[in-house]
Amino acid sequence: MARRSTPLLRRLLTPSPSPTPSTPLAGAASRRTVTYMPRPGDGAPRGVTLIPGDGIGPLVTGAVRQVMEAMHAPVYFETYEVHGDMPTVPAEVIESIRRNKVCLKGGLATPVGGGVSSLNVQLRKELDLYAALVNCFNLPGLPTRHDNVDIVVIRENTEGEYSGLEHEVVPGVVESLKVITKFCSERIAKYAFEYAYLNNRKKVTAVHKANIMKLADGLFLESCREVAKKYPGIQYNEIIVDNCCMQLVAKPEQFDVMVTPNLYGNLVANVAAGIAGGTGVMPGGNVGQDHAVFEQGASAGNVGNEKIVEKKRANPVALLLSSAMMLRHLQFPSFADRLETAVKRVIAEGKYRTKDLGGTSTTQEVTDAVIAKLD
Amino acid sequence: MARRSAPLLRRLVSASSPPALQPLPGHGGGLARRTVTYMPRPGDGTPRAVTLIPGDGIGPLVTGAVQQVMEAMHAPVYFETYDVHGDMPTVPPAVIESIRRNKVCIKGGLATPVGGGVSSLNMQLRKELDLYASLVHCSNLPGLPTRHEGVDIVVIRENTEGEYSGLEHEVVPGVVESLKVITKFCSERIAKYAFEYAYLNNRKKVTAVHKANIMKLADGLFLESCREVASKYPSIQYNEMIVDNCSMQLVSKPEQFDVMVTPNLYGNLVANTAAGIVGGTGIMPGGNVGQDYAVFEQGASAGNVGNENIVEQKKANPVALLLSSAMMLRHLQFPSFADRLETAVKRVVAEGTYRTKDLGGTSTTQEVTDAVIASLD
């Protein structure tokens, strides 16, 4: 309780220059009442694997833990230390995720070059988390150069350019294999359309470069078209990735759900996150048939740099919103709503923002503000 | 598609000015599309089967409305319909089988004959499937003025024992004993459900309703169980209220109540009173839930079969069952469809053009249903 009263006392004691502006968010930020009939036993606490990770990871996962505790959410964390310089993800971590089915993680640093494979990618392949999802949308009260952005980027997570199959043909000549299979393309397309159906989305856009990579991206497009036929109520179109990047920064309102192969998805997701406020605020995660791993949505900056780590100024909003997605995934919609509402109120109010949003707060200040705004 | 265009065309062609669906002042944000970020698992969109029991009286009318709206939304739900009527001796085993298989059922009311020793089929269903908690959510709908504002009460009622045990006998001619049975087992589990409900839905207070000053042992046992469970949820306020005082408080200061947990009979009365003060039983959603199954129906029981007049003129209010079917969609984990349905229904109620007689209007069930379908986004 002390954690809640400190920021409140602080505000009462310091002279506030102007009253907090009543935001237009007031109506939307008020408690949302939905009628929900849980089954007996739905309130039993669930175990979630927690991987703090490298760089800013421990900071932001710490923020999530504090908020979960303040909410008395029915979630308990099993924490495992994993660092990007380990050769593989430890077997007990995989065991834990297989058992809990749900994991929350900070970023794992991937060394450039050197032939060491990324632990992030290893984790995704090991658990077959074949879809990566990022929801990029304008947060109320956070002005950006584009408005009305609400894009969900669904990215194939296991093959494509990230197959990790590279070899040196002769010294000075390297071949890197991009592998596209019907199996993977079909299932990512199915996931994208099912997502659009379940979330009342109107359009799915496939992003490709099939004019150049005629067979590889052609196969991807073919799979998307087949699945699109089964969903006549959802619009489907295709866009070449270079045009797509340009359209994203010129007219992003035209996009709704986007389904992409691995590499384009990485780039498109980060561009979309950037235009709507930055990768520090966009939630997302990875999902497969059996498991789900939640982390900061778009990958850029998920480990941060030394300065941010030193000054403890990482933005916890992305991981807080991702943990709200996780609460929904675990079927605790009321807790998810509370968390999202509190986070959105803090952003809208504008007093506690980290450097990437134009403010000067530390991670702890933002976390305290979120806890104070919980209802 | 024709179903959607008919009301629109009707409006364009009719002489009166077309009622534009404008957001209410002050409610624009509340009734607009709600966007939450949700990451479904692959396969979550597979259609789910739901048992449908049209029932008696207005039952077929209102369940028909639900079926139409589900179809218009392309909800991933398909119905297995079974005919059950209140004058059957028991619920047919095929129906119970179907509910056991599907786990979820939506039903209209079943007429229960007064007296005569025939047991109610509604009750039979609840006991057979052990649906021990009945839940009614009574809250002010935006745009529908009532004598009380700021009401948001959830009545959680024990559904299997109490005064409804069905154990009655004639001791001697002219003297009948009716047994009210209260057990620790049932009282504990309904209290657990009520507090778990409050915990999961960010509710602040649970009120136990009783008459333990008179029925010291029976309602005393109920209260004891509630107190035990309350001690496990320190952050949720708990208080107790005698049922007569409760009834009076409900009609004078209903804002004080949040979640109410009650034994069987008091729950019936309290739920109907709470529904009545905020607009009537024609609009309150609710259902029955047990460990394994959930049956959704009009929340509070009064008028769930209707009378001949309403059935003839087809003017039953479908709102209650539509909102209950939205609860059902949430239960089946289709939150986006549930949101769409609730938003559409609330828009129609708020707008006020299409309201049935119990809300002060003159529309038929079909007109309200068409309006809801037209309001879907």
Side-chain angles (χ1 to χ4, degrees), chain A residues 161 178 206-213 217 238-248 255 258 260-261 263-269 271:
Chain A
E161 301 81 352
K178 161 177 170 166
V207 179
H208 66 97
K209 191 85 180 152
N211 47 346
I212 303 296
M213 283 169 273
D217 287 355
E238 303 165 352
I239 194 170
I240 301 184
V241 62
D242 48 6
N243 185 21
C244 174
C245 293
M246 190 273 282
Q247 297 289 341
L248 267 176
F255 295 110
M258 305 174 78
T260 81
L263 179 65
Y264 312 149
N266 191 3
L267 310 183
V268 164
V271 173

Side-chain angles (χ1 to χ4, degrees), chain A residues 99-110:
Chain A
R99 195 178 50 241
N100 294 331
K101 307 272 187 240
V102 175
C103 166
L104 184 72
K105 68 183 268 282
L108 298 169
T110 305

Side-chain angles (χ1 to χ4, degrees), chain B residues 265-277:
Chain B
L265 179 66
Y266 312 147
N268 191 5
L269 309 183
V270 163
N272 281 283
T273 310
I277 56 176

Side-chain angles (χ1 to χ4, degrees), chain B residues 284-299:
Chain B
M284 300 303 158
N288 312 274
V289 69
Q291 194 62 49
D292 307 304
Y293 313 104
V295 174
F296 294 86
E297 54 178 346
Q298 175 179 313

Side-chain angles (χ1 to χ4, degrees), chain A residues 32-33 35-41 43 72 74 130 135 191 194-195 197-200 288 290 325 329 334 338, chain B residues 34 37-43 45 74-76 132 137 152 193 196-197 199-202 290 292 327 331 336 340:
Chain A
R32 184 178 87 87
T33 48
T35 310
Y36 169 58
M37 191 161 88
R39 255 193 239 277
H72 302 296
Y130 63 85
N135 187 8
Y191 186 80
E194 192 179 52
Y195 179 92
Y197 171 57
L198 287 175
N199 288 280
N200 196 21
D290 307 305
M325 281 173 75
H329 192 84
S334 173
R338 286 173 70 194
Chain B
R34 184 179 86 86
T37 312
Y38 169 59
M39 190 161 88
R41 254 195 240 275
H74 304 297
Y132 65 83
H137 184 199
D152 192 354
Y193 185 81
E196 191 178 53
Y197 179 92
Y199 171 58
L200 286 174
N201 289 280
N202 196 22
D292 307 304
M327 281 172 75
H331 193 83
S336 172
R340 285 172 71 194

Side-chain angles (χ1 to χ4, degrees), chain B residues 255-284:
Chain B
E255 317 82 53
Q256 62 180 297
F257 296 109
D258 195 351
V259 175
M260 304 172 80
V261 60
T262 80
N264 214 329
L265 179 66
Y266 312 147
N268 191 5
L269 309 183
V270 163
N272 281 283
T273 310
I277 56 176
V278 278
T281 56
I283 52 177
M284 300 303 158

